[in-house]
């Protein structure tokens, strides 16, 4: 099911001085599981992150700084599947991926398979600024973080009771289905609490620059060494001033196969489609047709924001200069 309402919002107004959208994952709790207290916690986490990014943009700061800071705020919030509170892999470890991209220069920083870097987004930004490389993974990435003085933490820092319980639930669910080991065939798991969810942000700044950033613990019960779409430039994260900035959340294997974020930009660049048309087509014709679940946030150079998803909901928030903030879940 696609959320058409969000595909169509915010596309008819004048270009704002700046605009920002963020997501906390397209795997939301079912309404039956969402208590008023939990909903208030999610909304306050989304609002806090939106405020951090808005403050930067309102003072004339860059889209790149805004999306980095928004994602760091969400990484530090244990409710979301990134940084502290990340999903756990089949061995019960948090293994983190992140990426950031600057739409003005097309510079990008992507990191994967991190175990000790407190804020993977800070490492991705550091890579974007200070390295000739785009993508570092595993030990080498953590050595780069150490050399740059980024905060390293013990592996237990990332663990939360909620994610430990969720991993047990997913394993029990797979066992009941007679499945072995990890989600070798990553079909959506039908249960109250889906096995994905991630965080990301996209922004347009005063100078007309776009940026995108995404960070995740990936899929619950993922195989050791598995890397999802989040740090794959063009799949889960992409930004280009000529078209749009995109951050995705969902079952990463499909986003990689569909090259989904870049697919939206390509529909705009080569097909002359609007961001709403491009995002809708990518979500329906690519992701949903392939059988994938998830959602995305995207923004174009005119500050139009779209936030479609084909899941039950997506934790999300947005704001444009001079307009009220929106914080939504379903
Ligand atoms: N897309 C992420 C991945 O597959 C997971 C997520 O969005 O929650 O690693």
């Amino acid at each position: 099911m696609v959320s058409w309402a969000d595909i169509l919002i915010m596309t008819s107004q004048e270009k704002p001085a700046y605009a920002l959208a963020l997501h906390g994952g397209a795997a939301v709790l079912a309404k039956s599981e969402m208590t008023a207290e939990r909903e208030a916690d999610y909304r306050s986490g989304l609002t806090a992150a939106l405020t951090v990014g808005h403050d930067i943009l309102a003072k004339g700061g860059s889209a790149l700084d805004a999306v980095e800071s928004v994602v760091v705020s969400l990484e530090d919030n244990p409710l979301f599947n990134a940084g502290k509170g990340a999903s756990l892999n089949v061995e019960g470890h948090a293994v983190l991926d992140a990426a950031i991209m600057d739409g003005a220069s097309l510079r990008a920083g992507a990191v994967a398979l991190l175990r000790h870097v407190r804020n993977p987004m800070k490492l991705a930004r550091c890579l974007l600024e200070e390295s000739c490389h785009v993508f570092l993974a595993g030990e080498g990435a953590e050595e780069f973080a150490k050399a740059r003085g980024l905060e390293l933490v013990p592996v237990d820092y990332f663990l939360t009771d909620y994610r430990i319980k969720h991993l047990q639930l997913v394993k029990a669910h797979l066992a009941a289905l007679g499945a072995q080991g990890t989600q070798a065939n990553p079909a959506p798991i039908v249960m109250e609490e889906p096995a994905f969810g991630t965080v990301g942000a996209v922004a347009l700044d005063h100078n007309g620059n776009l940026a995108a950033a995404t960070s995740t613990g990936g899929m619950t019960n993922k195989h050791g060494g598995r890397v999802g779409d989040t740090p794959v430039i063009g799949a889960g994260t992409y930004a280009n001033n000529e078209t749009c900035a995109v951050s995705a959340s969902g079952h990463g294997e499909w986003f990689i196969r569909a090259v989904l974020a870049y697919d939206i930009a390509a529909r705009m660049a080569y097909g002359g489609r609007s961001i709403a048309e491009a995002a809708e087509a990518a979500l329906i014709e690519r992701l949903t047709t392939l059988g994938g679940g998830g959602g995305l946030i995207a923004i174009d150079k005119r500050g139009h924001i779209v936030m479609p998803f084909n899941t039950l909901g997506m934790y999300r928030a947005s704001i444009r200069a001079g307009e009220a903030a929106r914080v939504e879940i379903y």
Side-chain angles (χ1 to χ4, degrees):
M1 149 197 44
V2 172
S3 171
W4 302 102
D6 274 327
I7 288 179
L8 297 174
I9 64 160
M10 294 179 169
T11 55
S12 59
Q13 297 108 328
E14 292 300 300
K15 179 179 179 297
Y18 59 84
L20 171 69
L22 63 86
H23 68 82
V28 300
L29 292 177
K31 279 190 177 162
S32 56
E33 302 285 312
M34 183 66 89
T35 62
E37 198 185 337
R38 283 175 106 169
E39 182 165 346
D41 288 345
Y42 279 109
R43 285 181 178 276
S44 106
L46 296 170
T47 303
L50 193 72
T51 304
V52 166
H54 180 261
D55 287 351
I56 291 171
L57 293 169
K59 286 182 191 138
S62 71
L64 207 52
D65 284 345
V67 295
E68 177 190 352
S69 299
V70 166
V71 169
V72 167
S73 166
L74 293 166
E75 284 178 341
D76 286 343
N77 187 329
L79 283 179
F80 299 102
N81 174 16
K84 186 166 181 65
S87 291
L88 305 178
N89 76 1
V90 66
E91 288 156 354
H93 301 142
V95 184
L96 311 168
D97 304 335
I100 186 167
M101 186 161 185
D102 174 24
S105 62
L106 301 189
R107 287 178 305 155
V111 291
L113 304 177
L114 306 177
R115 298 281 316 275
H116 301 94
V117 179
R118 173 176 166 157
N119 291 111
M121 182 46 57
K122 289 187 182 173
L123 179 57
R125 177 70 189 271
C126 197
L127 191 63
L128 179 154
E129 300 290 349
E130 297 179 22
S131 173
C132 58
H133 301 307
V134 167
F135 201 160
L136 292 183
E139 256 176 51
E142 298 211 319
E143 277 164 23
F144 186 86
K146 196 169 170 192
R148 294 302 188 283
L150 293 187
E151 185 176 352
L152 301 179
V153 290
V155 291
D156 290 354
Y157 162 81
F158 299 104
L159 301 181
T160 60
D161 291 345
Y162 174 73
R163 295 296 176 191
I164 292 168
K165 186 180 139 239
H166 190 219
L167 177 63
Q168 288 164 355
L169 270 174
V170 171
K171 283 179 187 279
H173 183 84
L174 288 173
L177 290 176
Q180 299 289 320
T182 57
Q183 302 166 52
N185 175 15
I189 290 183
V190 180
M191 53 192 298
E192 289 77 18
E193 301 184 22
F196 53 90
T198 198
V199 310
V202 295
L204 166 74
D205 65 26
H206 277 278
N207 293 321
N209 291 322
L210 297 176
T214 318
S215 181
T216 192
M219 306 287 296
T220 300
N221 201 40
K222 67 186 179 182
H223 198 283
R226 181 263 189 190
V227 176
D229 61 309
T230 296
V232 177
I233 298 300
T237 306
Y238 188 71
N240 182 336
N241 275 6
E242 297 308 310
T243 51
C244 60
V246 181
S247 170
S249 169
H251 216 134
E253 278 67 14
W254 275 281
F255 283 80
I256 294 172
R257 290 170 184 158
V259 199
L260 202 93
Y262 184 72
D263 186 74
I264 295 171
R267 287 172 196 270
M268 294 175 72
Y270 309 133
R273 310 282 287 273
S274 71
I275 193 164
E277 292 166 343
E280 177 188 324
L283 203 80
I284 307 285
E285 292 167 26
R286 304 282 285 174
L287 190 71
T288 308
T289 303
L290 280 173
L296 61 95
I297 54 173
I299 189 169
D300 71 7
K301 57 188 175 185
R302 304 278 309 158
H304 297 142
I305 293 171
V306 293
M307 300 190 281
F309 50 86
N310 65 4
T311 51
L312 285 179
M314 181 165 71
Y315 300 112
R316 62 199 188 280
S318 61
I319 190 160
R320 292 162 34 114
E323 296 176 15
R326 294 171 53 133
V327 179
E328 290 159 303
I329 299 176
Y330 298 102

